[in-house]
Amino acid sequence: MKVRIRRYDGQKEWWQDYEVDVKSSDTVLDVLNKIREKQDHTLAFRLSCQMGSCGSCGMVINGLPALACQTRISELKTDSIRIEPLYNYKVIKDLVVDLNEFVNKHRSVKPWIIRKNPEELEEAPIEFKVTPEQNLTFVQFDYCIMCGICLAACPTVAIDPLFLGPQALGQAYRYIADPRDEGFEERIDILDDSHGVWRCHFAGACSYVCPKGVDPAKAIQFLKKEILKYRLLHKKKAATKPAELVEKAPPPNAPKPPPFDFKFEGGV
Amino acid sequence: MRKDIGMETLDYDVAIVGSGLAGLRTAIEVLRRDKGKLGLKVAVISKIYLMRSHSVSAEGGTSAVLYPEEGDSFELMAWDTIKGSDFLADQDAVWRFVHIATQEIRLIERWGVPWNRREDGRIEQRWFGGLSFPRATYAQDKTGFFEMRALYDTLLKYDNWDRFDENFVTSIVIENNEFKGFTAIDLKTGNFRYFRAKAGVIATGGAGQLYRITSMAVSSTGDGYGLAYNAGLPLKDMEFVQFHPTGLVPRGILITEAARGEGAYLINKDGERFMQKYAPSKMELAPRDIVSRAIMKEIMEGKGIYDEKSGLYHVWLDMRHLGKERIEQKLPFIREIGLKYLGIDIVDQPLPIRPTVHYNMGGIHVDIDGKVLDSTGTPVKGLWAAGEAACVSIQGSNRLGSNGTNECLVYGYIVGNDIYNYIEKERPALPSPSQNILTTEEDRIFGKLLGKESGGEDVYEIRDELKDTMEKYVHVYRTGSDLEKAVVKIRELKERYKNIRLTDKSRVFNYNLEHALELGNMLELAEIIARGALLRTESRGAHARLDYPNRDDTNWLKHTIALKGADGPLFSYIPVKITMWKPVARVY
Amino acid sequence: MGEDKKEKRYKTGLLRSLWPYNFNAERYSYTLHRITGVILALYLIAHVFEIYHFALGPVAWEQTIALLGSLGIWEKIGLWIIAGSALYHGANGLRLILNEVFGMLLGKPVLPEYPYTPTSLSRNQKIAIYVILAIVIALWIWAGLYLLEGLGII
Ligand SMILES: Cc1cc2nc3c(=O)[nH]c(=O)nc-3n(C[C@H](O)[C@H](O)[C@H](O)COP(=O)(O)OP(=O)(O)OC[C@H]3O[C@@H](n4cnc5c(N)ncnc54)[C@H](O)[C@@H]3O)c2cc1C
Ligand code: SF4
Ligand code: FES
């Protein structure tokens, strides 16, 4: 099978063709591995888990951003593969792109649980009650593996590199929708910005390519709604009922071990 | 940032290598304790992006005692862990561990982990192999992933730390039994860096890449073990390599134990639930070593199914009786993996599985606080290890499923606190190593390895041969003659490794160089594992010898310690701490 | 540190942003929405220009009319394109308002299930897009006929 890879070595860019023996069960990542191990040791690409849960191997395969380890050759239904680095990113070498901006955007939306009383996040004996229904309001958005593929698909990122992008906005919604979180008002000024939610015109490309079904486009539209509600009707997020706190007796910190050769009642 | 001798020196109070659950938890604990009091600066270093660490692959669950009122107890969890370890665990450490685990589950709950819940909103738990109470706390079948996300996100909250993504640590600088920092290559630029720190933590995870069929990520090459070993520190119990019973054929992608926790069956060629022969009471939910051995036995007896595409024998994992709804609720990721990689929907077909490499019970020799010990058993000043890279030993000779992620959390907590106390009390100054250590290291990498023009051996060829050797001779069942062959082969590969030449001579993202350095560590480890296994003439937990099928408590109830010698590893042994229960026969 | 190498973004910019090939229907409709938006904006400028001349008095107005008249059939084609743009931009805009302001047509948060089909791009959304297209095209043809009639061709 013919594989065409977009290469870059810091100075020049070029297309390079390889001829690889493939099995139909191989993934694109297997093919790249074969090239790197058997033909060309200089080819650079990222990988780690090989099972679609770490987010390392995002690249553009036959014109569509995808995870290489999740794309089987047989699914492509073509007899040659074209592999490029992710669109909209700076390329450092071959298929390796610079993700620092992406990571910083994620951080800028404060993606952590915020409580009015931060002590509640520190003391061990407390626990939140979250019903399965409440869980459902945000778990989908927690599936994000930070692969950054959605930003490569997004037409808005293509014209505004400062746009926060589907991943960060999706994560902002993930925390806002979390019944344990109380940070909506802290985040709103970051999101309600010309590079924030309002830049999104709902092309849905992010949701289309997301390998984990996170559906960031949905999260962004929900965010817009919540922000409008807040600004126009002065309504704080009512989407999810806040979670209840249960106080539990603290577990004894390493009490005395049981007597030597302690026997369980009834045995185990 | 100060530049001298052509390398960057970066000064930190705490430098943490590895950003898996253990590394992140340690970083958070230091920053959380500190709250700006001492203004500690933390560096988190990882050879891949921080949030991509292998811990994201953990699927099944994290054990902790949450409901003593329903019949669980700390004693019971300790007993399960110790019995599961085939009595090689240090019992004082286990006792401490089971308590902190409870607190950790609640803490990360409040940092955002979406645990599966009971109807009333309390955290739900499920069965896992070798447990006597369903205490595996879980978030679907992506437990580790959600834990990683929560920890990573929570770490972002703090300001006083810097991230070093894609920095490959090449050595630990130790002089006079005192930790003086790490050296690393910044993969993005190819620059050589020296992280000068008052305290260091090694949390580099396991070494699954020694094998061909493995559930572990490509980044799990056991660098931490290699770093410590090359720095003259002892490794403990390395011959115990856990094989997870259910790896998807052909590549070994993990099918979580939770599948069996939810009730899946193991079935051989004749359609028989063969576990009743090996563990009549626990059946499929026996500990991993027992199930792995059972599967290999079935295959050896010709009751496996032959898969033509991969040329491997396997057995079936059957989940059809669970029903679509339960599968979608509890095991969606397993279904996805089946569909994605084999086109098999577990709702109406069984999956082909065989044992796959999963975990290293052994690791860097540490004490109950996670302090790294030297060959005489005294702590190295300023150096800690946590997570899979360390061996306390809680896991003994066989880890129970769902006891890995909580070890990372618990030891992240313990080590973070210990470091904070150390710095608060001793107020150590920044170390100043002798320059020639650093220049020698720089020369080793860039001069002797990257710059070398002679030799013709190829990194990937040697790596392939190493993997095949381990797969063939140092697998679930071992024999003296196989292990001897392995040792000979590994020594040959080590000789050839001296002769490698890199084709990629660039500096930026030179993966060829990274892989060569990893291979160096892997070869050392392989030798330690094979020789340690050859010496241990008994079967215990994950170490099963066909020629010595029984556990031998009179001679072998002890930890193996491996130290680097002039010509391969030197072995010695230290006793196991038995404080609660005497070893008994292990039946399930 | 190693800043000597030039880093540039790969395949980015306006043209890329408007190039939906390989992607989903929503992204095509996004491209159309943007293009029609630009046409309408240009039209608005021209329109203001026209009104301004009307306000300047009869002479200026006569001149403008003459200028438009000299375009001949192109004036009508132009008007037709503008009508189409307005129709599409308006109708699709309504869909986007449903999406963005009221959070409709998006589905609820769900547990993603393999193979992942995002609910925000689900059947409802597609139906909305096709219904809009159908109505817009029908009205657009009608507008075309009306313009042709004005020309006396039919
Ligand atoms: C498929 C799978 C499923 C599992 N499921 C479960 C489960 O259900 N329950 C459970 O309790 N446990 C489970 N485990 C075990 C558990 O996931 C691991 O023990 C645990 O994640 C190890 O975490 P860690 O923090 O020690 O290391 P890792 O998460 O492996 O992280 C290692 C870190 O070290 C870095 N690193 C390594 N070498 C270098 C170097 N030279 N320079 C710089 N950085 C370096 C890496 O980049 C990485 O960040 C599972 C393991 C596997 C393989
Ligand atoms: S939202 Fe989806 S595509 Fe975007 S980074 Fe997360 S997992 Fe990747
Ligand atoms: S290698 Fe981890 S997602 Fe592909």
Side-chain angles (χ1 to χ4, degrees):
Chain A
M1 175 173 263
K2 208 175 97 184
V3 185
R4 239 178 168 212
I5 301 179
R6 181 73 170 181
R7 312 258 338 241
Y8 175 66
D9 66 357
Q11 267 105 44
K12 59 180 188 307
E13 289 175 77
W14 72 101
W15 287 100
Q16 191 158 344
D17 290 331
Y18 299 92
E19 196 52 53
V20 194
D21 280 338
V22 295
K23 287 187 279 189
S24 64
S25 60
D26 278 352
T27 61
V28 172
L29 196 66
D30 294 333
V31 172
L32 286 172
N33 265 328
K34 281 184 192 168
I35 296 177
R36 177 150 81 187
E37 285 166 19
K38 301 271 155 27
Q39 301 186 19
D40 184 349
H41 295 343
T42 63
L43 181 66
F45 59 90
R46 294 191 175 109
L47 79 166
S48 177
C49 68
Q50 294 185 290
M51 56 190 278
S53 56
C54 75
S56 302
C57 62
M59 51 189 75
V60 179
I61 300 164
N62 284 351
L64 202 67
L67 290 180
C69 67
Q70 291 273 283
T71 311
R72 273 202 292 165
I73 301 295
S74 54
E75 279 169 22
L76 289 173
K77 301 200 174 65
T78 49
D79 43 13
S80 67
I81 322 175
R82 207 176 76 241
I83 305 176
E84 301 162 81
L86 287 177
Y87 299 162
N88 301 336
Y89 287 93
K90 291 176 191 154
V91 182
I92 304 173
K93 183 177 177 186
D94 299 342
L95 302 174
V96 176
V97 296
D98 187 348
L99 291 172
N100 287 349
E101 279 176 16
F102 168 74
V103 168
N104 291 339
K105 282 177 186 174
H106 173 66
R107 188 177 188 180
S108 73
V109 300
K110 307 199 173 181
W112 50 79
I113 302 262
I114 297 175
R115 293 293 290 183
K116 298 233 163 75
N117 172 10
E119 280 307 306
E120 288 168 356
L121 297 179
E122 306 292 326
E123 281 165 47
I126 324 175
E127 147 188 341
F128 285 107
K129 266 190 182 178
V130 184
T131 60
E133 296 78 56
Q134 284 175 315
N135 236 349
L136 259 188
T137 54
F138 69 94
V139 172
Q140 172 167 32
F141 311 113
D142 210 14
Y143 268 48
C144 173
I145 58 173
M146 299 182 226
C147 59
I149 283 178
C150 45
L151 271 75
C154 176
T156 304
V157 175
I159 44 181
D160 178 13
L162 294 180
F163 174 46
L164 282 173
Q167 194 269 345
L169 293 173
Q171 289 318 298
Y173 186 73
R174 177 250 174 270
Y175 280 97
I176 286 172
D178 192 320
R180 294 165 288 191
D181 181 84
E182 299 174 338
F184 181 48
E185 282 155 309
E186 249 183 71
R187 294 191 188 95
I188 192 161
D189 289 332
I190 307 163
L191 306 172
D192 187 6
D193 178 89
S194 59
H195 298 296
V197 287
W198 306 114
R199 256 282 138 130
C200 165
H201 302 295
F202 195 17
C206 48
S207 295
Y208 183 65
V209 297
C210 175
K212 289 279 125 185
V214 174
D215 208 346
K218 176 160 74 184
I220 301 175
Q221 312 321 315
F222 285 163
L223 264 185
K224 290 178 185 166
K225 182 171 130 191
E226 297 298 335
I227 291 177
L228 280 178
K229 269 208 297 209
Y230 180 82
R231 293 283 191 229
L232 299 177
L233 310 173
H234 306 289
K235 233 196 223 157
K236 292 194 201 123
K237 167 191 67 140
T240 35
K241 204 167 106 241
E244 236 179 277
L245 273 172
V246 242
E247 302 266 346
K248 293 277 300 171
N253 216 349
K256 273 223 280 303
F260 192 73
D261 244 5
F262 168 80
K263 294 275 183 299
F264 291 97
E265 261 171 62
V268 272
Chain B
M1 230 178 269
R2 187 168 57 97
K3 283 220 168 202
D4 47 359
I5 52 166
M7 101 187 129
E8 251 178 274
T9 301
L10 300 149
D11 293 343
Y12 284 92
D13 294 299
V14 184
I16 298 170
V17 187
S19 62
L21 287 171
L24 294 181
R25 186 68 188 86
T26 312
I28 294 179
E29 194 54 36
V30 172
L31 295 165
R32 194 167 85 104
R33 269 293 300 279
D34 186 26
K35 288 207 187 91
K37 270 180 271 162
L38 300 181
L40 296 186
K41 279 198 76 172
V42 178
V44 183
I45 311 164
S46 175
K47 64 179 175 184
I48 45 184
Y49 265 85
L50 299 193
M51 62 283 186
R52 312 242 191 268
S53 301
H54 165 64
S55 293
V56 293
S57 307
E59 297 174 1
T62 302
S63 276
V65 178
L66 291 187
Y67 298 108
E69 63 275 18
E70 290 171 21
D72 202 2
S73 72
F74 294 118
E75 286 84 1
L76 208 52
M77 179 166 168
W79 167 252
D80 284 344
T81 306
I82 291 166
K83 184 177 171 201
S85 80
D86 223 347
F87 297 94
L88 197 68
D90 281 348
Q91 301 187 357
D92 53 343
V94 172
W95 185 244
R96 185 170 178 201
F97 155 78
V98 297
H99 286 85
I100 302 179
T102 305
Q103 154 206 326
E104 286 302 306
I105 294 285
R106 297 231 167 85
L107 263 183
I108 59 174
E109 188 272 328
R110 274 166 296 132
W111 297 347
V113 177
W115 296 121
N116 271 38
R117 303 286 181 155
R118 300 175 172 187
E119 279 310 312
D120 68 351
R122 301 290 305 279
I123 298 172
E124 187 167 55
Q125 299 188 304
R126 70 175 159 204
W127 281 104
F128 236 67
L131 304 187
S132 355
F133 185 86
R135 71 169 82 80
T137 322
Y138 67 106
Q140 298 167 25
D141 48 4
K142 298 162 175 263
T143 309
F145 171 73
F146 286 126
E147 290 173 350
M148 269 298 283
R149 285 247 16 213
L151 288 187
Y152 173 73
D153 284 359
T154 305
L155 181 58
L156 295 179
K157 177 162 91 174
Y158 297 95
D159 293 321
N160 227 358
W161 66 286
D162 290 319
R163 56 190 297 160
F164 293 90
D165 303 287
E166 308 197 308
N167 276 255
F168 183 86
V169 172
T170 62
S171 75
I172 311 175
V173 185
I174 295 180
E175 272 180 323
N176 310 327
N177 213 20
E178 189 186 333
F179 166 76
K180 301 207 163 159
F182 297 110
T183 61
I185 310 171
D186 179 8
L187 293 177
K188 192 171 165 187
T189 57
N191 284 356
F192 188 64
R193 282 186 164 161
Y194 166 49
F195 289 92
R196 184 159 66 161
K198 297 171 187 166
V201 182
I202 311 170
T204 48
Q209 286 298 316
L210 284 173
Y211 289 80
R212 184 163 298 288
I213 300 180
T214 171
S215 61
M216 288 170 88
V218 176
S219 56
S220 297
T221 49
D223 294 327
Y225 306 136
L227 296 178
Y229 181 70
N230 286 330
L233 299 173
L235 300 183
K236 187 157 71 186
D237 289 343
M238 287 308 292
E239 65 269 30
F240 297 102
V241 178
Q242 180 165 68
F243 285 81
H244 192 290
T246 55
L248 194 63
V249 171
R251 216 147 3 114
I253 292 178
L254 187 82
I255 303 301
T256 165
E257 191 160 320
R260 282 170 288 135
E262 294 295 336
Y265 299 149
L266 285 169
I267 289 178
N268 65 14
K269 192 163 114 191
D270 311 327
E272 179 193 1
R273 265 182 87 185
F274 57 82
M275 279 313 293
Q276 64 206 33
K277 283 187 286 188
Y278 304 93
S281 74
K282 283 245 180 292
M283 297 290 282
E284 279 83 1
L285 279 176
R288 292 175 173 171
D289 54 337
I290 295 183
V291 184
S292 286
R293 287 190 208 178
I295 294 176
M296 288 317 281
K297 255 248 148 73
E298 290 294 303
I299 290 177
M300 286 193 292
E301 285 169 8
K303 296 211 185 121
I305 300 104
Y306 183 66
D307 177 57
E308 270 163 28
K309 267 196 235 135
S310 55
L312 293 170
Y313 284 90
H314 63 80
V315 296
W316 297 116
L317 181 71
D318 193 348
M319 279 163 276
R320 287 174 291 185
H321 56 284
L322 298 181
K324 184 155 192 247
E325 197 186 322
R326 179 114 170 252
I327 286 176
E328 267 164 14
Q329 285 280 328
K330 306 267 169 87
L331 307 164
F333 193 43
I334 297 308
R335 180 152 181 250
E336 175 184 341
I337 289 175
L339 282 168
K340 190 98 225 179
Y341 292 102
L342 295 178
I344 289 180
D345 190 343
I346 57 171
V347 173
D348 44 47
Q349 264 178 292
L351 286 176
I353 54 104
R354 65 179 272 134
T356 172
V357 173
H358 188 61
Y359 189 87
N360 292 75
M361 265 72 71
I364 300 167
H365 183 31
V366 298
D367 69 2
I368 192 169
D369 289 326
K371 288 192 185 74
V372 175
L373 302 176
D374 74 355
S375 50
T376 61
T378 33
V380 177
K381 191 167 167 246
L383 187 61
W384 282 259
E388 197 171 334
C391 175
V392 183
S393 131
I394 286 172
Q395 318 296 4
S397 64
N398 172 57
R399 171 174 76 92
L400 284 189
S402 78
N403 256 356
T405 43
N406 46 6
E407 187 192 338
C408 293
L409 296 169
V410 167
Y411 269 85
Y413 166 82
I414 292 178
V415 166
N417 268 304
D418 212 40
I419 290 180
Y420 185 82
N421 293 341
Y422 162 74
I423 296 184
E424 191 183 37
K425 197 158 125 245
E426 309 219 344
R427 306 272 167 167
L430 272 174
S432 43
S434 54
Q435 285 295 351
N436 69 347
I437 294 198
L438 303 177
T439 36
T440 322
E441 177 67 9
E442 190 175 10
D443 184 52
R444 176 178 80 96
I445 297 161
F446 294 107
K448 299 218 171 73
L449 195 54
L450 188 64
K452 189 155 96 72
E453 291 299 344
S454 60
E457 291 289 350
D458 184 69
V459 180
Y460 301 98
E461 267 168 33
I462 299 184
R463 198 173 74 180
D464 275 350
E465 284 183 38
L466 174 67
K467 287 185 179 190
D468 287 338
T469 311
M470 296 299 281
E471 195 70 42
K472 202 159 150 204
Y473 299 127
V474 201
H475 209 253
V476 174
Y477 278 110
R478 303 155 175 190
T479 62
S481 60
D482 275 358
L483 290 169
E484 270 161 19
K485 281 186 211 142
V487 172
V488 172
K489 182 74 192 173
I490 293 165
R491 299 206 61 120
E492 177 210 318
L493 293 176
K494 271 176 86 172
E495 275 312 305
R496 282 168 58 191
Y497 176 75
K498 294 192 184 133
N499 228 354
I500 57 167
R501 210 185 101 172
L502 305 183
T503 5
D504 193 347
K505 299 283 178 198
S506 65
R507 281 274 184 137
V508 176
F509 276 108
N510 189 336
Y511 281 113
N512 206 194
L513 175 63
E514 184 193 326
H515 293 157
L517 290 168
E518 286 172 356
L519 181 63
N521 294 332
M522 281 158 68
L523 284 166
E524 297 285 2
L525 282 183
E527 192 180 1
I528 301 170
I529 293 174
R531 297 213 6 209
L534 187 59
L535 289 175
R536 190 175 272 275
T537 48
E538 65 157 351
S539 288
R540 182 186 294 274
H543 172 67
R545 294 267 306 245
L546 284 173
D547 39 0
Y548 297 92
N550 297 321
R551 195 175 83 193
D552 177 358
D553 285 334
T554 15
N555 296 315
W556 287 107
L557 188 59
K558 52 191 182 184
H559 297 294
T560 312
I561 295 286
L563 259 183
K564 187 169 183 164
D567 184 36
L570 306 172
F571 290 93
S572 55
Y573 296 89
I574 56 168
V576 178
K577 294 199 189 86
I578 309 258
T579 56
M580 292 187 284
W581 289 288
K582 284 198 296 279
V584 294
R586 193 157 159 258
V587 275
Y588 283 96
Chain C
M1 300 170 267
E3 291 307 339
D4 41 336
K5 63 187 183 307
K6 197 169 106 266
E7 284 174 354
K8 56 176 208 144
R9 286 174 199 278
Y10 184 63
K11 289 209 175 164
T12 191
L14 185 61
L15 289 180
R16 272 281 144 193
S17 148
L18 293 178
W19 181 242
Y21 177 70
N22 242 335
F23 284 91
N24 47 330
E26 290 78 5
R27 191 164 166 188
Y28 279 89
S29 93
Y30 162 93
T31 301
L32 215 55
H33 198 79
R34 304 231 99 189
I35 293 175
T36 53
V38 172
I39 294 174
L40 289 179
L42 291 177
Y43 168 69
L44 209 68
I45 295 169
H47 192 61
V48 169
F49 183 77
E50 196 183 330
I51 306 273
Y52 170 68
H53 281 248
F54 183 73
L56 283 184
V59 183
W61 177 238
E62 285 299 321
Q63 278 172 353
T64 319
I65 294 290
L67 183 75
L68 284 175
S70 70
L71 288 174
I73 182 127
W74 293 110
E75 188 201 348
K76 301 291 177 199
I77 292 179
L79 272 181
W80 188 53
I81 290 177
I82 289 161
S85 302
L87 281 170
Y88 180 80
H89 203 79
N92 196 46
L94 283 180
R95 177 180 69 92
L96 290 177
I97 288 177
L98 287 187
N99 285 156
E100 300 185 11
V101 179
F102 298 101
M104 286 161 75
L105 298 175
L106 299 170
K108 288 202 185 65
V110 290
L111 269 193
E113 230 173 67
Y114 186 81
Y116 306 118
T117 32
T119 57
S120 66
L121 314 178
S122 67
R123 234 180 81 220
N124 293 348
Q125 194 73 257
K126 297 276 182 303
I127 292 175
I129 290 179
Y130 293 132
V131 167
I132 286 167
L133 270 185
I135 296 176
V136 166
I137 290 175
L139 287 176
W140 200 28
I141 292 174
W142 178 77
L145 292 176
Y146 181 80
L147 285 170
L148 287 178
E149 205 179 356
L151 280 178
I153 295 175
I154 26 174

